[in-house]
Amino acid sequence: MLSKEDLAELLLKDVDKFNSEVNFSNSTVEGAVFDNVDLTSSSFADSQLTDVKFINCDLTSVDFTRSTLTECIFTDSVLNGTDFSYARVDYCNFADADLAGAILCEADLSDSDFSASLNLSACRFDDTTVWPDNEYLPEDFDSKYSDDLSSLKDDEDYEQSDY
């Protein structure tokens, strides 16, 4: 079995050999290019990614928790259910990336560009998520966290009873 470092080296040379559920937890990956690769359910948890390009990739349910991502690109990639909890995401670009269902709780996204991302309104975040300035967010996105659960209740829950 290859070590994580061997996997990373192989990845830099022949990314086409990878397909789903690769475990790169606790790794350092620099300068890798993932082009049209399916990495569904893979893990980059607790990793350092620098100048990594994910172009037209399926990153559904990928785990980036507690990772540091610097100058990474996610162009045209699917990040549905991808978990960036507790991650630091510095100077990354999410142009045309689909973030529906992405988990951004307690993430620091302050220096990244989400202005051309898709479905950011359908992601999960909390009051500790650090967002970039509004110019780096889609025009229709509201980064204010609300823990108001009243919108999840049925109208019947509010009807007054005769008893």
Side-chain angles (χ1 to χ4, degrees):
M1 181 164 171
L2 296 173
S3 71
K4 290 179 186 175
E5 291 75 23
D6 293 335
L7 282 172
E9 185 63 29
L10 183 60
L11 171 66
L12 291 172
K13 293 179 181 174
D14 194 1
V15 72
D16 293 331
K17 289 186 179 180
F18 290 92
N19 190 19
S20 290
E21 297 188 36
V22 179
N23 185 359
F24 282 104
S25 298
N26 299 300
S27 295
T28 299
V29 181
E30 294 183 24
V33 178
F34 295 88
D35 191 352
N36 201 31
V37 177
D38 180 0
L39 290 169
T40 301
S41 300
S42 294
S43 179
F44 289 91
D46 301 298
S47 294
Q48 303 280 327
L49 283 76
T50 304
D51 193 31
V52 176
K53 293 173 179 56
F54 297 96
I55 302 167
N56 196 35
C57 291
D58 188 347
L59 302 172
T60 301
S61 300
V62 170
D63 185 2
F64 287 107
T65 56
R66 297 173 307 279
S67 292
T68 300
L69 295 89
T70 306
E71 298 179 359
C72 295
I73 294 174
F74 294 89
T75 304
D76 293 315
S77 292
V78 176
L79 293 111
N80 300 155
T82 299
D83 193 349
F84 289 96
S85 296
Y86 311 100
R88 180 163 181 87
V89 183
D90 291 326
Y91 304 103
C92 294
N93 190 319
F94 291 84
D96 297 316
D98 185 352
L99 289 151
I103 304 164
L104 305 170
C105 297
E106 297 193 41
D108 183 348
L109 314 167
S110 59
D111 296 318
S112 290
D113 188 350
F114 292 88
S115 61
S117 66
L118 308 171
N119 298 314
L120 190 60
S121 295
C123 74
R124 289 179 23 206
F125 61 95
D126 58 18
D127 60 342
T128 62
T129 302
V130 180
W131 292 100
D133 293 335
N134 284 337
E135 66 188 88
Y136 298 108
L137 294 171
E139 288 181 22
D140 63 342
F141 180 68
D142 183 5
S143 62
K144 292 183 181 99
Y145 174 74
S146 173
D147 60 1
D148 180 15
L149 300 177
S150 63
S151 63
L152 300 176
K153 296 182 180 176
D154 293 332
D155 289 336
E156 296 171 2
D157 293 341
Y158 294 104
E159 291 180 13
Q160 205 163 22
S161 174
D162 291 337
Y163 300 100

